[in-house]
Amino acid sequence: MSRRSLISEALAAVANEPAPIAPTEAEATATAGRVNFTNKRLEAFGEAARIVKRPTIRLKPAECSIWPGNARDYTLLDEHRLRSLIDSVLAEGGNRIPAVVRRTPNGPLPYELVTGTRRHWAISWLNSNHYPDIDLIAIIEDLDDEAAFRLADIENREREDISDLERGVNYKAAVDRFYGGVQLRMAERLKISKSQLSRYIALTEIPPFLVSAFHSPMDLQAKYGERLLPLLRDPASRTKLEAAADQIASEQSFRRSGDEQPIAGAEVMGRLLKAVTVKGRVQKAAIAVGDGKAIGEVVKDQQKILMLSLTPSDLSTDAILEALRPVIDAARIRSARRR
């Protein structure tokens, strides 16, 4: 066996791997009951789970730096978020599925963690809370950054506790760093659709004032970005969104301080859209000069507010004002009648 990394070989070989044969209905039914969390983890681990077993090592989390190319934001991990994993590691005396590390000869620490961020955090927490003898079980691999990125993405792909925003930030950095800024090349390399990749990357364009309206980045889904981004390009809508987002963010903060349930992501989205939606019927009419030529438009919304827009023309100021006079007079008459 050559010294070439087995994981690297598997990652390189995935493009030539034949498509799996779809199971029969009976086989699918029989298999469904056997699928558990660990099996899903192994499936997400992809190629690495299908290669021969590698010898593992035991090390302390303090011996590993965290590779910044992983999608997961290490700073967002906490005891509450990882409680079930902490309990599982404690019950089994370690992590069942090895993390993947690579050596860093010139680095501040001996190893760099490529996959297994949650396991690393959980064992680090246990080491600091009465269980110093629990080690991190890991596999050492020789991976370049692009292969490390793909391996981390394979493992994280099915993770439900990584936000769409985290994935978007990770993918945006990777497409520029490894794929020359070409999303199609990256999508083909990762075996995902270009539209899906684009949705994740587009989410990074959501400004902080909108992100802050959501209780957690986990609540900001890629499908929300598709609806918010077009609105942000319109100055009037952007102003309304910012005002609504500030109000929602204040409410979220108040609820957190009082241990109340946060405003759910779907409700936040509904309120943001409502802030820019004009309800009721909008009436429009042309502004015309004496010969009937239109020089603009007047729009009246449900609050009876008139918005005038004029098209450039060679008309004099007096002629334009004369065309506006009947529009203004009509609005005054209707207002007087309502009183």
Side-chain angles (χ1 to χ4, degrees), residues 145-161:
D145 281 349
E146 194 268 345
F149 164 72
R150 284 189 290 127
L151 184 62
D153 181 65
I154 287 166
E155 188 188 38
N156 290 332
R157 190 80 58 83
E158 302 303 322
R159 283 288 190 184
E160 295 182 355
D161 63 338

Side-chain angles (χ1 to χ4, degrees), residues 55-298:
T56 60
I57 63 169
R58 305 179 76 93
L59 51 85
K60 293 298 182 186
E63 298 179 76
C64 298
S65 60
I66 306 298
W67 181 53
N70 197 293
R72 190 183 301 281
D73 188 340
Y74 196 86
T75 62
L76 295 179
L77 300 179
D78 55 35
E79 181 187 359
H80 174 73
R81 189 171 174 180
L82 299 185
R83 186 69 258 174
S84 61
L85 177 59
I86 291 171
D87 292 341
S88 174
V89 169
L90 184 57
E92 298 190 15
N95 51 301
R96 183 177 177 184
I97 298 177
V100 174
V101 300
R102 59 183 181 180
R103 289 189 176 91
T104 52
N106 300 320
L109 298 174
Y111 303 101
E112 185 175 54
L113 189 80
V114 176
T115 71
T117 311
R118 297 170 75 254
R119 283 158 275 171
H120 180 281
W121 196 99
I123 293 173
S124 180
W125 186 90
L126 286 167
N127 286 174
S128 302
N129 289 272
H130 315 301
Y131 297 96
D133 297 330
I134 296 181
D135 295 327
L136 177 69
I137 301 172
I139 297 171
I140 302 176
E141 277 298 331
D142 181 17
L143 301 167
D144 62 25
D145 281 349
E146 194 268 345
F149 164 72
R150 284 189 290 127
L151 184 62
D153 181 65
I154 287 166
E155 188 188 38
N156 290 332
R157 190 80 58 83
E158 302 303 322
R159 283 288 190 184
E160 295 182 355
D161 63 338
I162 295 181
S163 70
D164 289 353
L165 184 57
E166 285 176 294
R167 294 186 198 277
V169 171
N170 183 239
Y171 284 163
K172 183 177 182 179
V175 73
D176 292 330
R177 184 177 181 187
F178 304 129
Y179 307 103
V182 181
Q183 292 187 22
L184 179 59
R185 184 185 305 169
M186 179 174 171
E188 291 174 346
R189 192 72 166 149
L190 297 185
K191 308 302 178 187
I192 62 176
S193 69
K194 184 179 182 296
S195 61
Q196 181 183 11
L197 177 61
S198 297
R199 282 195 294 270
Y200 283 129
I201 293 178
L203 198 60
T204 64
E205 299 177 24
I206 298 295
F209 73 78
L210 277 182
V211 177
S212 66
F214 293 86
H215 168 67
S216 163
M218 295 295 298
D219 292 343
L220 179 54
Q221 301 177 25
K223 64 181 180 180
Y224 295 163
E226 292 181 304
R227 302 190 67 182
L228 291 172
L229 286 172
L231 296 173
L232 288 167
R233 298 186 186 104
D234 176 60
S237 296
R238 186 184 180 94
T239 299
K240 294 176 182 179
L241 282 174
E242 187 166 4
D246 287 345
Q247 176 63 35
I248 297 170
S250 298
E251 291 182 36
Q252 297 279 33
S253 178
F254 179 79
R255 293 191 181 203
R256 278 192 290 268
S257 65
D259 292 329
E260 297 181 44
Q261 285 293 320
I263 305 171
E267 183 179 348
V268 171
M269 187 63 185
R271 289 177 58 174
L272 291 173
L273 293 178
K274 184 178 180 180
V276 296
T277 301
V278 178
K279 295 182 178 180
R281 191 175 178 182
V282 175
Q283 298 179 10
K284 298 181 180 181
I287 301 172
V289 291
D291 60 0
K293 180 182 178 181
I295 62 169
E297 184 181 59
V298 58

Side-chain angles (χ1 to χ4, degrees), residues 8-21:
S8 297
E9 291 181 4
L11 286 170
V14 68
N16 299 321
E17 183 175 297
I21 299 173

Side-chain angles (χ1 to χ4, degrees), residues 285-290 295 298 306 308 318-334:
I287 301 172
V289 291
I295 62 169
V298 58
L306 299 181
L308 306 177
D318 289 341
I320 294 174
L321 290 175
E322 190 63 29
L324 290 175
R325 187 182 303 280
V327 175
I328 297 171
D329 286 343
R332 291 175 58 193
I333 293 171
R334 284 193 291 269

